[in-house]
C-alpha cells in the first residue's frame, strides 16, 4: 500500500509539472494573439521560452507515458497533449510580420 501511495504521489507530481508547462504555453499563446504588434525583443524572448518549455514538455510527457505504462492502470496509456504545432505556427506568423 505504501508503494502504491508513492507511485500515485510521483504521478501526481509529473501531471502537475505538465499542467504548469501547459499554462505557460497558454500564456505565450495569449500574448501572441493580442492585436498589438510585438517588439522583436519580446518575440525572441517568447520563442526562447517556448523552445525551452517545449523540450521539457516533450521529455515530461514521454516520462509520464512510460511511468503510466509501468505503474499505472494498464488501460490508461494515453495522456492529453497541448497542441504545440498551433503555437509554433502562431510564433512563425508573428516572426513573418516583423520582416
Amino acid at each position: 500500500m505504501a508503494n502504491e501511495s508513492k507511485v500515485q504521489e510521483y504521478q501526481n507530481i509529473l501531471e502537475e509539472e505538465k499542467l504548469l508547462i501547459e499554462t505557460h504555453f497558454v500564456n505565450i499563446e495569449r500574448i501572441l494573439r493580442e492585436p498589438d504588434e510585438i517588439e522583436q525583443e519580446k518575440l525572441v524572448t517568447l520563442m526562447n521560452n517556448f523552445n525551452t518549455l517545449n523540450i521539457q514538455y516533450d521529455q515530461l510527457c514521454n516520462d509520464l507515458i512510460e511511468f503510466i505504462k509501468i505503474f499505472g492502470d494498464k488501460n490508461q496509456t494515453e495522456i492529453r497533449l497541448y497542441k504545440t504545432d498551433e503555437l509554433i505556427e502562431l510564433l512563425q506568423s508573428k516572426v513573418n510580420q516583423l520582416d
Side-chain angles (χ1 to χ4, degrees):
M1 185 71 171
N3 283 341
E4 289 178 21
S5 174
K6 290 291 183 187
V7 165
Q8 188 59 49
E9 181 181 340
Y10 184 70
Q11 184 174 342
N12 289 344
I13 289 170
L14 290 176
E15 289 172 352
E16 287 172 10
E17 288 179 20
K18 179 180 167 288
L19 185 60
L20 182 64
I21 292 173
E22 289 172 345
T23 302
H24 287 295
F25 285 157
V26 169
N27 288 333
I28 291 171
E29 186 174 343
R30 182 186 50 78
I31 291 168
L32 291 172
R33 291 195 185 278
E34 289 177 356
D36 301 335
E37 197 166 309
I38 297 177
E39 299 170 7
Q40 184 175 359
E41 186 178 319
K42 187 175 183 180
L43 186 57
V44 169
T45 301
L46 288 173
M47 289 173 58
N48 287 335
N49 287 342
F50 171 77
N51 287 335
T52 301
L53 290 169
N54 198 36
I55 291 166
Q56 292 172 344
Y57 186 71
D58 227 23
Q59 185 62 50
L60 180 64
C61 288
N62 287 332
D63 291 349
L64 185 57
I65 289 169
E66 287 303 312
F67 186 83
I68 290 170
K69 283 180 183 178
I70 295 168
F71 296 105
D73 181 3
K74 299 300 179 198
N75 296 325
Q76 181 195 4
T77 57
E78 296 181 5
I79 60 172
R80 182 189 59 77
L81 298 176
Y82 190 86
K83 295 181 180 178
T84 55
D85 292 343
E86 292 176 11
L87 188 50
I88 291 170
E89 289 175 10
L90 191 55
L91 279 164
Q92 287 174 341
S93 73
K94 290 295 182 176
V95 168
N96 291 340
Q97 288 176 5
L98 289 178
D99 291 342

